[in-house]
């Protein structure tokens, strides 16, 4: 059943990439389909941006295909995990932000950016963002099935029984300040999303739209969830002693930390770098390179990198002794962390059977 579900979700994800890839390819080839005002575009930057984003979505399609194939369980974990982590940071805020902006648009002055039609035809946004939402749902659904097949023993483990691989003290030194900073940055994003002009120039404040407000709120909430997930993983026994966290499985805080760190890095840091280095593709006013928004973007990039490195080393330790793949049908044995790979004091920890 899991194999068929994984295959179906992988194929849906690949198919959902097709409209975006087709549109980007047409633009790279010089066709202006769906573009209203070509005079606003710097031609070289336009081609470079479209080629780069075409490559990103092609990688997403390749990852989705790999997840759905039997050889996917033998693929080095980092080849799949890193692109999926980046995709989480870019797609999940979009999947939540686009529908949210449509709901909040009646309460914000000015037309919705997707309905203006001053740069791109409105149907372009429907094709692109509709495809992204379907792609994200199928891609992350496939990854959830894949992860439980490959690392189910760890993901189903109660949080209180999360083994200490011997480097948790170092993890706390690196990840605890990053988690706290992530929470602080999340509060700033939430303030902007609820109308605050803290550290924002007058021009940027006037240019805000329903998309801007919603995106800031979504990023702030996801970053806060990520900080909570990191804290739960750093202090599993301390924070999971009492209800409602007593029966919490590792997969919940791990998913929160995964998505939150990816959003901070991808949606905050990477987009800030893109704005700072490349500026706007159009001839309009680019966001100011200085000020609080620039500081927040740089801090998000830094904290995202720290959480990525700390999380990668930790997961590599926790999964190093686990067999690849799922147990044979009819077997009662689940993939498990080998006791021989754990510290002696943890060898008695009992996985939920």
């Amino acid at each position: 059943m899991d194999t068929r579900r994984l295959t179906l979700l992988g194929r849906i994800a690949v198919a959902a990439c097709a409209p975006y890839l087709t549109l980007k390819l047409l633009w790279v080839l010089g066709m202006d389909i769906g573009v209203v005002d070509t005079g606003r575009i710097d031609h070289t930057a336009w081609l470079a941006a479209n080629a780069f984003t075409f490559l990103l979505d092609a990688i997403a399609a390749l990852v989705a295909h790999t997840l759905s194939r039997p050889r996917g369980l033998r693929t080095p974990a980092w080849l799949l995990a890193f692109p999926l982590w980046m995709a989480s940071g870019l797609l999940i805020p979009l999947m939540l932000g686009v529908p949210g902006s449509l709901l909040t648009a009646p309460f914000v002055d000015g037309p919705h950016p997707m309905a203006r039609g001053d740069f791109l035809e409105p149907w372009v946004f429907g094709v692109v963002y509709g495809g992204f939402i379907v792609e994200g749902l199928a891609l992350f659904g496939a990854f959830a099935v894949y992860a439980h097949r490959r690392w189910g023993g760890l993901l189903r483990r109660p949080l209180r029984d999360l083994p200490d691989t011997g480097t948790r003290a170092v993890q706390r030194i690196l990840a605890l300040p990053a988690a706290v900073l992530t929470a602080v940055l999340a509060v700033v994003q939430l303030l902007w999303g609820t109308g605050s002009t803290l550290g924002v120039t007058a021009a940027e404040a006037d240019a805000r739209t329903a998309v801007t407000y919603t995106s800031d709120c979504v990023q702030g909430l996801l970053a806060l969830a990520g900080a909570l997930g990191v804290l739960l993983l750093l202090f599993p026994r301390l924070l999971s002693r009492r209800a409602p966290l007593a029966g919490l499985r590792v997969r919940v805080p791990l998913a929160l930390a995964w998505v939150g760190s990816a959003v901070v890095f991808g949606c905050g840091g990477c987009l800030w770098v893109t704005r700072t280095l490349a500026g706007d593709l159009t001839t309009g006013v680019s966001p100011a390179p200085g000020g609080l928004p620039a500081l927040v973007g740089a801090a998000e990039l830094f904290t995202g990198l720290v959480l990525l490195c700390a999380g990668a080393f930790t997961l590599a330790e926790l999964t190093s002794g686990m067999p690849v793949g799922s147990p044979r049908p009819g077997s009662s044995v689940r993939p498990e962390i080998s006791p021989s790979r754990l510290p002696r004091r943890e060898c008695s920890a009992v996985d939920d059977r």
Side-chain angles (χ1 to χ4, degrees), residues 182-194 196 198 216 220 292 296:
T182 296
V184 173
L185 298 174
V187 172
V188 175
Q189 293 275 176
L190 288 172
L191 289 175
W192 288 337
T194 52
S196 173
L198 176 67
D216 284 335
L292 186 59
V296 169

Side-chain angles (χ1 to χ4, degrees), residues 159-160 232 235-248:
L159 180 62
R160 62 180 179 272
L232 287 170
F235 304 97
R237 290 171 178 79
L238 178 63
L239 299 179
S240 61
R241 288 178 178 176
R242 298 180 181 179
L245 302 177
L248 197 65

Side-chain angles (χ1 to χ4, degrees), residues 84 171 181 254 317:
L84 284 164
Q171 297 169 26
L181 182 56
L254 183 58
E317 287 184 318

